Amino acid sequence: MALLRSYRRFVAVVWQFLPLLWGYLRDRRRYVLFGGRRRVTPEMRVARARRLLDSLLTLGPTFIKLGQLLSTRPDVLPPEYVEVLADLQDRVPPANWEDARVVLEDELGDVDERFDDFETDAISGASLGQVYRAKVDGDEVAVKVRRPDIEDLVNADLRVIRWTLPVIVRFVGESRAFSLRNLADEFAKTIREEMDYGREAEMLTEIRGNFADDPKVVIPEVYDTHSSSRVLTMEYIPGTKISDVEELDRRDVDRSQVAETVERAYLQMIIEDGVFHADPHPGNLAVRDDGAVVFYDFGMSGRVDAFVQEKIVDFYIAVANQDIDAILDALIEMGTLSPEADRATMADVMELAIQDARGEDIETYRVQQIVGKVEDTIYEFPLRLPSNLALVLRVATVVEGVCVTLDSDFDFITVATEYLTEQGYREESIRQYAEETADQFQRSAQSAVRVPPKLESALDRVEREDLHVRADIEDGDGVIDRLARRVVLGLVFATSVPTTALLYTEADLLAAGVMGAFTFAVGAGLYRSFRKRSGMRAAPQFTRQNLRDRRND
């Protein structure tokens, strides 16, 4: 029965996505089986992104949650899709109350007996559940109830995603296929964890304990007596939605301070505590009148192992010191950057990213120069998202958007540098650097003693004409192969043309026709060998300066 439902869902999913797949195939080859690439404009991408949004909403809760995850993965989708799919964050209608009541009473018993009061109109709806206000022993609480029959639907949809993934990765580059596979694994894991409200209660309680002494961070208390694997009852804490800047200004809240609180909270969760709230979109963050930040919905939360914590600290310290080489080394060690990456190109990209993070104006011609360097190899661009870092980087992306909304001039690097300095990480980094420098100096001194005898031995072999040098030519880009192919094709083409002419003048039309076809094929091959590979043309987007320009417009 479950498998039959999966087959039905597979047909429904294919039917919804078929127009988008057909359009993508025509982008690769204008007439699907032959022809060159079509030029895809930003307007076309926006129209397709809206169609994708409608399809996800039609397919229901699982695909709505998938769209929410896709909206934070610019390594998988173009920026136009990311921007359109961001609308899924807050627009999810709640399930019918009578259906939700069945789940609630199956888990806790009669609603009227367990709660002093229960409001049947949901205060928020999510893709997997909805939240209601109620009272327990006179205290106001928020009750989160899982959607009815959501488990069977999610399991069927995960099978469909697993079936379709091998087909999709055939049409994308290696780097994007890597990200898609990690995305699928991450999605299957996180959606099952989000459906387990018992796990959410444990994570919420642990993170709440980590911030017990911080009055700027407020996390609800769990009511264990009124919670289960499908129902979670928490302390109700009202606040102003963090993205409602007009209301925050009306309440005279320091938005820059709120942004700093949000960043420091996540730095502590990821670097210090190793357990973090992983869904910081504006619907899950609120601000009290005293400027304290309230965190809601811990269904999507994760843990960071010690190795990743150490590398994240190395990365932030390198950014604070504007040490581009150290930044690239940290990214390679974390697995987000291929060791074969062009370091010169990536250094330019990182320098641009640091300027943007600091809120500095970025000159357009420099952006175009950098884009020009990578546009021919954009499908093999070496940035990747390993599964153990996907949630961390997702948080970093969303937190940046939240902080920019609060303060367009917010300086992430300065706040991170201050935090690392206060916690002693930069002092530790300096101490390690001093120790490494001392070790390097010692090794250099030892080498200075060993070099003269070796140099004298080499010079003696030169005098005896007994010195041999071996040189290996590395041709990773295939330049020599291409040159050899062009030489051979050129020679064949040069001899084929007069041969064809000779056969034609001798009135042997059949042989001349065959030879002419062969000559044309060789000439076409020679022409193609000189054609420059075309890449994806991309315009730089989503820098902080672009955001200010759009707001001014």
Side-chain angles (χ1 to χ4, degrees):
M1 187 66 180
L3 196 59
L4 181 61
R5 182 173 188 174
S6 298
Y7 286 132
R8 289 201 302 266
R9 289 292 289 174
F10 179 77
V11 173
V13 170
V14 170
W15 180 257
Q16 285 293 328
F17 291 143
L18 190 59
L20 290 169
L21 179 61
W22 181 259
Y24 182 72
L25 290 176
R26 290 199 61 199
D27 293 342
R28 291 167 58 87
R29 294 188 181 275
R30 183 176 294 274
Y31 303 106
V32 181
L33 297 179
F34 60 90
R37 290 182 179 273
R38 282 199 309 183
R39 181 175 179 271
V40 182
T41 64
E43 292 74 17
M44 291 173 62
R45 286 201 185 101
V46 170
R48 291 178 183 178
R50 287 173 178 158
R51 182 179 297 174
L52 175 61
L53 176 65
D54 292 338
S55 298
L56 293 172
L57 288 170
T58 302
L59 290 170
T62 309
F63 286 89
I64 290 173
K65 181 60 67 175
L66 178 61
Q68 291 176 346
L69 188 59
L70 286 170
S71 71
T72 63
R73 293 296 294 264
D75 60 317
V76 175
L77 291 178
E80 295 87 356
Y81 285 76
V82 171
E83 189 169 9
V84 170
L85 291 180
D87 290 343
L88 279 171
Q89 302 288 12
D90 291 320
R91 300 188 319 183
V92 184
N96 181 274
W97 158 244
E98 292 303 325
D99 295 332
R101 180 170 189 156
V102 172
V103 175
L104 189 61
E105 295 192 338
D106 283 347
E107 295 295 314
L108 302 182
D110 186 73
V111 173
D112 297 330
E113 293 180 1
R114 298 303 308 274
F115 296 91
D116 299 341
D117 183 40
F118 201 102
E119 298 181 10
T120 57
D121 293 329
I123 59 175
S124 70
S127 53
L128 301 179
Q130 52 273 328
V131 180
Y132 300 89
R133 288 182 63 177
K135 285 188 177 181
V136 174
D137 298 330
D139 298 332
E140 284 197 70
V141 295
V143 184
K144 186 176 179 180
V145 183
R146 190 194 297 174
R147 283 181 179 268
D149 302 322
I150 191 66
E151 299 94 333
D152 294 338
L153 178 61
V154 167
N155 289 331
D157 288 340
L158 289 177
R159 286 195 194 95
V160 172
I161 293 171
R162 193 164 58 249
W163 291 342
T164 56
L165 186 63
V167 178
I168 295 174
V169 298
R170 291 175 61 89
F171 297 97
V172 299
E174 180 184 352
S175 180
R176 194 160 296 168
F178 177 89
S179 294
L180 280 171
R181 293 188 188 97
N182 275 334
L183 177 71
D185 294 340
E186 174 197 351
F187 178 66
K189 178 175 179 289
T190 56
I191 196 170
R192 287 193 172 102
E193 289 177 347
E194 281 195 71
M195 288 192 299
D196 184 359
Y197 289 175
R199 176 188 178 276
E200 180 177 350
E202 292 175 2
M203 299 293 278
L204 189 157
T205 301
E206 182 177 351
I207 296 174
R208 185 173 187 269
N210 293 335
F211 287 93
D213 299 326
D214 189 346
K216 295 181 179 179
V217 176
V218 180
I219 297 173
E221 181 182 0
V222 175
Y223 283 68
D224 292 326
T225 56
H226 289 69
S227 299
S228 69
S229 61
R230 295 199 294 170
V231 177
L232 177 60
T233 302
M234 304 162 286
E235 175 187 7
Y236 176 74
I237 304 176
T240 303
K241 189 175 179 178
I242 200 165
S243 59
D244 190 351
V245 293
E246 294 181 358
E247 181 63 20
L248 292 175
D249 289 341
R250 193 182 70 80
R251 294 176 178 271
D252 198 26
V253 174
D254 186 343
R255 290 191 276 120
S256 296
Q257 184 60 48
V258 172
E260 182 173 340
T261 299
V262 171
E263 185 181 358
R264 282 177 168 269
Y266 277 98
L267 286 171
Q268 177 182 325
M269 282 189 265
I270 293 172
I271 295 175
E272 288 286 325
D273 303 331
V275 55
F276 61 98
H277 175 267
D279 197 12
H281 70 78
N284 288 338
L285 298 174
V287 183
R288 297 197 312 193
D289 291 347
D290 60 357
V293 179
V294 185
F295 290 76
Y296 305 123
D297 193 355
F298 287 75
M300 188 180 292
S301 51
R303 295 187 182 276
V304 188
D305 58 56
F307 175 79
V308 173
Q309 284 180 304
E310 179 184 348
K311 296 309 168 188
I312 291 174
V313 170
D314 291 344
F315 173 78
Y316 273 114
I317 291 174
V319 171
N321 295 334
Q322 298 191 40
D323 186 343
I324 302 298
D325 285 333
I327 293 174
L328 297 180
D329 290 340
L331 291 175
I332 290 172
E333 290 177 359
M334 284 191 288
T336 60
L337 183 64
S338 170
E340 290 79 23
D342 184 339
R343 289 183 73 95
T345 298
M346 294 308 302
D348 287 340
V349 173
M350 291 303 143
E351 184 179 350
L352 180 68
I354 290 174
Q355 288 187 20
D356 187 38
R358 285 195 179 278
E360 299 174 8
D361 290 341
I362 301 171
E363 299 173 6
T364 304
Y365 81 91
R366 288 204 60 236
V367 178
Q368 296 291 356
Q369 285 177 347
I370 295 172
V371 172
K373 289 182 181 180
V374 302
E375 62 185 0
D376 289 336
T377 56
I378 191 70
Y379 283 114
E380 292 82 28
F381 203 63
L383 288 172
R384 298 173 170 183
L385 286 183
S387 56
N388 64 334
L389 273 176
L391 271 182
V392 175
L393 297 182
R394 177 185 190 276
V395 166
T397 302
V398 181
V399 167
E400 179 182 6
V402 170
C403 292
V404 167
T405 301
L406 290 167
D407 181 4
S408 59
D409 296 319
F410 186 70
D411 191 336
F412 299 91
I413 296 176
T414 297
V415 175
T417 302
E418 291 175 354
Y419 179 85
L420 294 172
T421 302
E422 291 171 6
Q423 301 300 318
Y425 287 107
R426 294 195 76 189
E427 292 180 3
E428 178 65 18
S429 175
I430 293 171
R431 186 186 64 79
Q432 290 180 358
Y433 177 77
E435 290 179 355
E436 291 172 0
T437 302
D439 291 341
Q440 186 176 5
F441 181 79
Q442 184 178 6
R443 289 193 297 269
S444 299
Q446 293 172 351
S447 298
V449 174
R450 289 194 298 263
V451 165
K454 292 183 179 180
L455 180 59
E456 184 178 1
S457 174
L459 292 175
D460 288 341
R461 295 183 66 180
V462 171
E463 287 182 354
R464 295 195 304 268
E465 298 182 356
D466 188 29
L467 184 67
H468 301 280
V469 178
R470 187 180 69 182
D472 295 328
I473 298 177
E474 292 188 3
D475 186 28
D477 295 331
V479 175
I480 296 177
D481 288 342
R482 285 199 301 272
L483 181 60
R485 187 162 53 250
R486 289 170 184 172
V487 170
V488 172
L489 289 174
L491 290 173
V492 174
F493 185 73
T495 57
S496 298
V497 171
T499 303
T500 304
L502 179 63
L503 290 173
Y504 181 76
T505 57
E506 293 294 330
D508 192 346
L509 296 181
L510 179 60
V514 173
M515 194 63 191
F518 175 74
T519 303
F520 177 79
V522 172
L526 183 61
Y527 171 73
R528 285 177 62 87
S529 71
F530 281 96
R531 287 191 63 187
K532 188 176 180 180
R533 290 176 60 189
S534 61
M536 181 185 293
R537 299 284 166 178
Q541 299 186 53
F542 287 126
T543 63
R544 192 193 310 270
Q545 186 179 354
N546 298 147
L547 181 61
R548 285 198 293 266
D549 291 343
R550 288 200 295 268
R551 285 177 175 171
N552 292 335
D553 291 341

